[in-house]
Amino acid sequence: MSEADGLRQRRPLRPQVVTDDNGQAPEAKDGSSFSGRVFRVTFLMLAVSLTVPLLGAMMLLESPIDPQPLSFKEPPLLLGVLHPNTKLRQAERLFENQLIGPESIAHIGDVMFTGTADGRVVKLENGEIETIARFGSGPCSEVKLLLSSETPVEGKKMSFVNDLTVTQDGRKIYFTDSSSKWQRRDYLLLVMEGTDDGRLLEYDTVTREVKVLLDQLRFPNGVQLSPAEDFVLVAETTMARIRRVYVSGLMKGGADLFVENMPGFPDNIRPSSSGGYWVGMSTIRPNPGFSMLDFLSERPWIKRMIFKLFSQETLMKFVPRYSLVLELSDSGAFRRSLHDPDGLVATYISEVHEHDGYLYLGSFRSPFLCRLSLQSV
């Protein structure tokens, strides 16, 4: 072997470079590109198949509500007497799964009565439930009709007769008609639309006359006569406030705000033993935090879209189960608050009824009552 041949054998081999023109690489690259195109086309077709019906529904379906923009102040900070706690979790549940939405409560002596969402008035005594009256489409039992909802009052029908309070002599009954358009089962539609056709009315049991004391209210709900019977408080739920209407004395016929910008949306109002008032909050306006109802109040177009796509029951699943009870002073100041931040024990509180050292908590949805010892809070 010559010297030249030896040098050629010792010369290092040049690395081979595989290009698109060689080997199996083109097949791999072409396959990957094809798979990517298939994925993109499939994803695009799926997106279109979902979006087109959704847009069609939003454009063609009619919304059941016609909301107008509402304006709220920033909710009060949950500080001081409003600071979150877990005091409501000390409550015990009564008659669990034996009642349907026992919203309001009354005592005659030690016997308790409540109305339920299935149209009954029941007596609760010694752990037993007895139906004493029944309302609804069928015949009513043990019921005396004072005023028919079919009778127009000042030209408007009563569609959602709600809460009432009675003078000590039984002469006057003050009650709320939450809407002439919506019924009880439509409460979320009423709140979300912000309808202002609610009224506070007075019924005279002697003359059988009924008159309007205050109108253009947005979901007037709970109502309570003052101890001196000189004014009536009415919760205007949609506006997160309580109005005061004077029914006797020098200011008779006048009205003003008793509490405004509350940390939640008030339901029923009942007297407290301290001379103030208990208020159940149907849901809260967290601050710090995010209040969905406050956010939507100035965006009616979102409300319309939501109710085109979802039912009331579906939307209720997204309502926070935060339970809040407020005690107000006789001047409307926040005196104390009781909370159950996750609604673990007390849920959807509609009323706080004080009796013999206990708070009885009604609910417009829960299948039970709650009882809380005042000594524990």
Side-chain angles (χ1 to χ4, degrees):
M1 180 174 63
S2 66
E3 182 177 355
D5 292 335
L7 289 173
R8 281 194 295 270
Q9 288 184 1
R10 292 194 296 271
R11 183 180 298 166
L13 297 176
R14 294 181 180 179
Q16 293 185 350
V17 178
V18 178
T19 67
D20 289 346
D21 298 328
N22 299 307
Q24 301 299 317
E27 296 181 12
K29 181 174 182 179
D30 290 345
S32 175
S33 298
F34 178 74
S35 299
R37 287 195 296 271
V38 169
F39 173 78
R40 288 192 293 271
V41 171
T42 303
F43 179 80
L44 181 61
M45 292 177 63
L46 180 61
V48 170
S49 67
L50 294 175
T51 304
V52 170
L54 185 63
L55 292 175
M58 288 190 294
M59 294 180 63
L60 299 177
L61 292 179
E62 185 176 353
S63 175
I65 61 173
D66 182 24
Q68 301 301 315
L70 301 175
S71 180
F72 289 91
K73 296 179 181 178
E74 181 182 347
L77 289 169
L78 297 181
L79 300 174
V81 296
L82 297 178
H83 193 276
N85 55 63
T86 58
K87 293 181 178 180
L88 287 178
R89 292 182 185 171
Q90 300 178 46
E92 59 177 323
R93 292 181 175 181
L94 306 177
F95 304 100
E96 191 163 7
N97 296 320
Q98 300 178 64
L99 300 170
I100 302 176
E103 183 169 353
S104 188
I105 307 159
H107 271 88
I108 299 178
D110 290 327
V111 180
M112 184 163 54
F113 298 83
T114 185
T116 58
D118 56 351
R120 295 184 299 151
V121 176
V122 299
K123 179 171 71 172
L124 309 173
E125 186 178 17
N126 298 324
E128 300 292 329
I129 302 176
E130 178 186 351
T131 299
I132 61 172
R134 188 183 299 274
F135 299 87
S137 56
C140 300
S141 60
E142 301 298 326
V143 174
K144 178 182 179 181
L145 183 64
L146 298 180
L147 179 66
S148 172
S149 59
E150 299 298 323
T151 302
V153 178
E154 297 188 9
K156 293 176 64 176
K157 69 175 183 177
M158 296 181 293
S159 182
F160 186 176
V161 177
N162 201 327
D163 196 22
L164 61 83
T165 184
V166 186
T167 56
Q168 293 184 18
D169 62 8
R171 172 74 183 262
K172 298 289 183 65
I173 301 175
Y174 301 97
F175 65 100
T176 50
D177 177 27
S178 296
S179 174
S180 61
K181 175 181 179 180
W182 301 107
Q183 298 182 14
R184 183 190 184 278
R185 61 176 176 268
D186 306 315
Y187 60 88
L188 188 57
L189 297 172
L190 173 55
V191 171
M192 296 296 281
E193 186 174 64
T195 317
D196 65 348
D197 61 345
R199 299 177 293 177
L200 173 67
L201 302 104
E202 176 191 88
Y203 176 74
D204 191 311
T205 59
V206 175
T207 65
R208 301 179 66 86
E209 294 178 340
V210 59
K211 62 181 180 181
V212 178
L213 299 183
L214 198 63
D215 61 1
Q216 294 185 316
L217 299 174
R218 301 184 191 274
F219 198 172
N221 198 336
V223 60
Q224 179 60 47
L225 195 61
S226 69
E229 300 190 350
D230 56 339
F231 62 80
V232 171
L233 298 178
V234 56
E236 194 174 9
T237 299
T238 300
M239 301 306 297
R241 64 191 182 190
I242 296 176
R243 304 283 290 269
R244 175 169 49 188
V245 181
Y246 295 91
V247 294
S248 67
L250 296 176
M251 299 184 67
K252 182 178 180 179
D256 58 18
L257 282 175
F258 187 67
V259 189
E260 62 176 331
N261 197 33
M262 301 184 75
F265 297 89
D267 202 319
N268 287 353
I269 309 168
R270 294 295 181 262
S272 73
S273 58
S274 65
Y277 302 92
W278 292 108
V279 182
M281 313 299 289
S282 55
T283 187
I284 73 160
R285 305 166 63 213
N287 188 15
F290 175 71
S291 172
M292 177 60 74
L293 289 179
D294 281 50
F295 173 78
L296 293 175
S297 64
E298 296 183 355
R299 297 165 176 85
W301 64 273
I302 299 181
K303 293 183 183 181
R304 291 191 187 94
M305 180 179 65
I306 288 173
F307 277 93
K308 285 183 179 183
L309 302 175
F310 302 102
S311 68
Q312 181 175 238
E313 281 303 310
T314 298
L315 292 173
M316 278 301 297
K317 297 177 182 178
F318 297 95
V319 175
R321 291 168 62 91
Y322 196 116
S323 297
L324 174 63
V325 165
L326 294 180
E327 185 182 13
L328 307 177
S329 70
D330 58 359
S331 62
F334 300 136
R335 176 170 284 168
R336 60 172 157 173
S337 64
L338 312 175
H339 303 242
D340 185 351
D342 300 304
L344 297 181
V345 177
T347 57
Y348 303 114
I349 295 175
S350 57
E351 179 173 299
V352 186
H353 169 76
E354 183 177 344
H355 175 74
D356 198 22
Y358 288 92
L359 296 182
Y360 292 85
L361 311 176
S363 171
F364 63 97
R365 284 179 65 89
S366 298
F368 52 79
L369 287 168
C370 281
R371 181 174 66 181
L372 177 66
S373 171
L374 278 170
Q375 291 184 349
S376 65
V377 295

